[in-house]
Coordinates of all heavy atoms in Angstrom, one line a residue:
L864 N -2.5 181.6 -24.9 CA -2.1 182.9 -24.4 C -3.1 183.4 -23.3 O -2.6 183.9 -22.3 CB -2.1 183.9 -25.6 CG -0.8 183.8 -26.5 CD1 -1.0 184.9 -27.6 CD2 0.5 184.1 -25.7
R865 N -4.3 183.2 -23.6 CA -5.3 183.6 -22.6 C -5.2 182.8 -21.3 O -5.4 183.4 -20.2 CB -6.7 183.4 -23.1 CG -7.2 184.4 -24.2 CD -8.6 184.1 -24.6 NE -9.5 184.2 -23.5 CZ -10.8 183.8 -23.6 NH1 -11.3 183.4 -24.7 NH2 -11.6 183.9 -22.5
A866 N -4.7 181.6 -21.4 CA -4.5 180.8 -20.2 C -3.1 181.0 -19.5 O -2.8 180.4 -18.5 CB -4.7 179.3 -20.5
G867 N -2.3 181.9 -20.2 CA -1.0 182.2 -19.6 C 0.0 181.2 -19.9 O 1.0 181.1 -19.1
T868 N -0.2 180.3 -20.9 CA 0.8 179.3 -21.2 C 1.1 179.3 -22.7 O 0.6 180.2 -23.4 CB 0.2 177.9 -20.9 OG1 -1.0 177.7 -21.7 CG2 -0.2 177.8 -19.4
G869 N 2.0 178.4 -23.1 CA 2.3 178.3 -24.5 C 2.2 176.8 -24.9 O 2.2 175.9 -24.1
N870 N 2.1 176.6 -26.2 CA 2.0 175.3 -26.8 C 2.6 175.3 -28.2 O 3.0 176.3 -28.7 CB 0.6 174.7 -26.7 CG -0.4 175.6 -27.5 OD1 0.0 176.5 -28.3 ND2 -1.7 175.4 -27.2
M871 N 2.6 174.1 -28.8 CA 3.2 174.0 -30.1 C 2.4 174.8 -31.1 O 2.9 175.3 -32.1 CB 3.2 172.5 -30.5 CG 4.0 172.3 -31.8 SD 3.9 170.5 -32.4 CE 2.2 170.5 -33.0
D872 N 1.0 174.8 -31.0 CA 0.2 175.6 -31.9 C 0.6 177.0 -31.9 O 0.6 177.7 -33.0 CB -1.3 175.4 -31.5 CG -1.8 174.0 -31.7 OD1 -1.3 173.3 -32.6 OD2 -2.5 173.5 -30.8
L873 N 0.9 177.6 -30.8 CA 1.3 179.0 -30.7 C 2.6 179.2 -31.4 O 2.8 180.2 -32.1 CB 1.4 179.4 -29.2 CG 1.9 180.8 -29.0 CD1 0.9 181.8 -29.6 CD2 2.0 181.1 -27.4
L874 N 3.6 178.3 -31.2 CA 4.8 178.4 -31.9 C 4.7 178.3 -33.4 O 5.3 179.1 -34.2 CB 5.8 177.3 -31.4 CG 6.2 177.4 -30.0 CD1 7.1 176.2 -29.6 CD2 7.0 178.7 -29.7
V875 N 3.8 177.4 -33.9 CA 3.6 177.3 -35.4 C 3.0 178.6 -35.9 O 3.4 179.1 -37.0 CB 2.7 176.1 -35.6 CG1 2.2 176.1 -37.1 CG2 3.4 174.8 -35.3
A876 N 2.0 179.1 -35.2 CA 1.3 180.3 -35.6 C 2.3 181.5 -35.7 O 2.3 182.2 -36.7 CB 0.2 180.7 -34.7
I877 N 3.2 181.6 -34.7 CA 4.1 182.8 -34.7 C 5.2 182.6 -35.8 O 5.5 183.5 -36.6 CB 4.8 182.9 -33.3 CG1 3.8 183.3 -32.3 CG2 6.0 183.9 -33.4 CD1 4.4 183.3 -30.8
G878 N 5.7 181.4 -35.9 CA 6.8 181.1 -36.9 C 6.3 181.3 -38.4 O 6.9 182.0 -39.2
T879 N 5.1 180.7 -38.7 CA 4.7 180.8 -40.0 C 4.1 182.2 -40.4 O 4.3 182.7 -41.5 CB 3.5 179.8 -40.3 OG1 2.5 180.0 -39.3 CG2 4.0 178.3 -40.1
S880 N 3.6 182.9 -39.4 CA 3.1 184.3 -39.6 C 4.3 185.2 -39.9 O 4.3 186.1 -40.8 CB 2.4 184.8 -38.4 OG 1.2 184.1 -38.2
A881 N 5.4 184.9 -39.2 CA 6.7 185.7 -39.5 C 7.2 185.5 -40.9 O 7.5 186.4 -41.6 CB 7.7 185.3 -38.5
G882 N 7.1 184.2 -41.4 CA 7.6 183.9 -42.7 C 6.7 184.6 -43.8 O 7.1 185.1 -44.8
W883 N 5.3 184.5 -43.5 CA 4.4 185.1 -44.5 C 4.5 186.6 -44.5 O 4.5 187.2 -45.5 CB 3.0 184.6 -44.1 CG 1.9 185.0 -45.1 CD1 1.5 184.3 -46.2 CD2 1.2 186.3 -45.1 NE1 0.5 185.0 -46.8 CE2 0.3 186.2 -46.2 CE3 1.1 187.4 -44.2 CZ2 -0.6 187.3 -46.5 CZ3 0.3 188.4 -44.5 CH2 -0.6 188.3 -45.6
G884 N 4.6 187.2 -43.3 CA 4.7 188.6 -43.2 C 6.0 189.2 -43.8 O 6.0 190.2 -44.5
L885 N 7.1 188.5 -43.6 CA 8.4 188.9 -44.2 C 8.3 188.8 -45.7 O 8.8 189.7 -46.4 CB 9.5 188.0 -43.7 CG 10.9 188.3 -44.3 CD1 11.3 189.7 -43.9 CD2 11.9 187.2 -43.8
S886 N 7.6 187.8 -46.2 CA 7.5 187.7 -47.7 C 6.7 188.8 -48.2 O 7.0 189.4 -49.3 CB 6.8 186.3 -48.0 OG 7.6 185.2 -47.6
M887 N 5.6 189.2 -47.5 CA 4.8 190.3 -48.0 C 5.6 191.6 -48.0 O 5.5 192.4 -49.0 CB 3.6 190.5 -47.1 CG 2.5 189.4 -47.3 SD 1.7 189.4 -48.9 CE 0.9 191.0 -48.9
W888 N 6.4 191.8 -47.0 CA 7.2 193.1 -46.9 C 8.2 193.1 -48.0 O 8.4 194.1 -48.7 CB 7.9 193.1 -45.6 CG 8.7 194.4 -45.4 CD1 8.2 195.6 -44.9 CD2 10.1 194.6 -45.7 NE1 9.3 196.5 -44.9 CE2 10.4 195.9 -45.4 CE3 11.1 193.7 -46.1 CZ2 11.7 196.4 -45.5 CZ3 12.4 194.2 -46.3 CH2 12.7 195.6 -46.0
M889 N 8.9 191.9 -48.3 CA 9.9 191.9 -49.3 C 9.3 192.1 -50.7 O 9.9 192.6 -51.6 CB 10.7 190.6 -49.2 CG 11.5 190.4 -47.9 SD 12.4 188.9 -47.8 CE 13.6 189.1 -49.1
W890 N 8.1 191.6 -50.9 CA 7.4 191.7 -52.2 C 6.9 193.1 -52.4 O 7.2 193.7 -53.4 CB 6.3 190.7 -52.2 CG 5.4 190.7 -53.4 CD1 5.8 191.1 -54.7 CD2 4.1 190.4 -53.5 NE1 4.8 191.0 -55.6 CE2 3.7 190.6 -54.9 CE3 3.1 189.9 -52.6 CZ2 2.4 190.3 -55.3 CZ3 1.8 189.6 -53.1 CH2 1.5 189.9 -54.4
Q891 N 6.2 193.6 -51.4 CA 5.5 194.9 -51.6 C 6.4 196.1 -51.4 O 6.2 197.2 -52.0 CB 4.3 195.0 -50.7 CG 3.2 194.0 -51.0 CD 2.6 194.2 -52.4 OE1 2.4 195.3 -52.8 NE2 2.2 193.1 -53.0
V892 N 7.3 196.0 -50.4 CA 8.2 197.2 -50.0 C 9.5 197.1 -50.7 O 10.0 198.1 -51.3 CB 8.2 197.3 -48.5 CG1 9.1 198.4 -48.1 CG2 6.9 197.4 -47.9
A893 N 10.2 196.0 -50.5 CA 11.6 195.9 -50.9 C 11.7 195.5 -52.4 O 12.7 195.7 -53.0 CB 12.4 194.9 -50.1
G894 N 10.6 195.0 -53.0 CA 10.6 194.6 -54.4 C 11.5 193.4 -54.7 O 12.0 193.3 -55.8
S895 N 11.8 192.6 -53.7 CA 12.6 191.4 -53.9 C 11.8 190.2 -54.4 O 10.6 190.1 -54.2 CB 13.3 191.0 -52.6 OG 14.0 189.8 -52.7
E896 N 12.5 189.4 -55.2 CA 11.9 188.1 -55.7 C 12.2 186.9 -54.8 O 11.7 185.8 -55.0 CB 12.4 187.8 -57.1 CG 12.0 188.9 -58.1 CD 12.5 188.5 -59.5 OE1 13.2 187.5 -59.6 OE2 12.1 189.2 -60.5
H897 N 13.0 187.1 -53.8 CA 13.4 186.0 -52.9 C 12.4 186.0 -51.7 O 12.5 186.7 -50.7 CB 14.8 186.2 -52.3 CG 15.8 186.1 -53.4 ND1 16.2 185.0 -54.1 CD2 16.5 187.1 -54.0 CE1 17.1 185.2 -55.0 NE2 17.3 186.5 -55.0
L898 N 11.3 185.3 -51.9 CA 10.2 185.2 -50.9 C 10.2 183.9 -50.1 O 10.8 182.9 -50.5 CB 8.9 185.5 -51.6 CG 8.8 186.7 -52.5 CD1 7.5 186.8 -53.2 CD2 9.1 188.0 -51.8
Y899 N 9.4 183.9 -49.1 CA 9.4 182.7 -48.2 C 7.9 182.2 -48.0 O 7.6 181.6 -47.0 CB 10.0 183.0 -46.8 CG 11.4 183.5 -47.0 CD1 11.7 184.9 -47.0 CD2 12.5 182.6 -47.1 CE1 13.0 185.3 -47.1 CE2 13.8 183.0 -47.2 CZ 14.1 184.4 -47.2 OH 15.4 184.8 -47.4
F900 N 7.1 182.4 -49.0 CA 5.7 181.9 -48.9 C 5.7 180.4 -48.8 O 4.9 179.8 -48.0 CB 4.9 182.3 -50.1 CG 4.5 183.8 -50.1 CD1 4.9 184.6 -51.0 CD2 3.7 184.3 -49.0 CE1 4.5 186.0 -51.0 CE2 3.3 185.6 -49.0 CZ 3.7 186.5 -50.0
E901 N 6.6 179.7 -49.5 CA 6.6 178.3 -49.5 C 7.0 177.7 -48.1 O 6.5 176.7 -47.7 CB 7.6 177.7 -50.6 CG 9.0 177.7 -50.2 CD 9.7 179.0 -50.2 OE1 9.1 180.0 -50.8 OE2 10.8 179.1 -49.7

């Protein structure tokens, strides 16, 4: 990002962070048991 480009590592970081963050929201806020930590 600092170099103004993208790579596979950036995509992995964004995608997995989205899955982990969604799981936290569904667990703590929505109270759902269908999580995506795995």
Side-chain angles (χ1 to χ4, degrees):
L864 281 178
R865 287 181 58 189
T868 61
N870 56 17
M871 188 184 74
D872 295 322
L873 179 61
L874 294 177
V875 171
I877 293 174
T879 56
S880 296
W883 187 90
L885 178 62
S886 299
M887 288 295 295
W888 182 86
M889 295 179 69
W890 175 31
Q891 295 295 328
V892 178
S895 174
E896 295 182 356
H897 299 286
L898 309 178
Y899 301 95
F900 286 118
E901 82 287 344

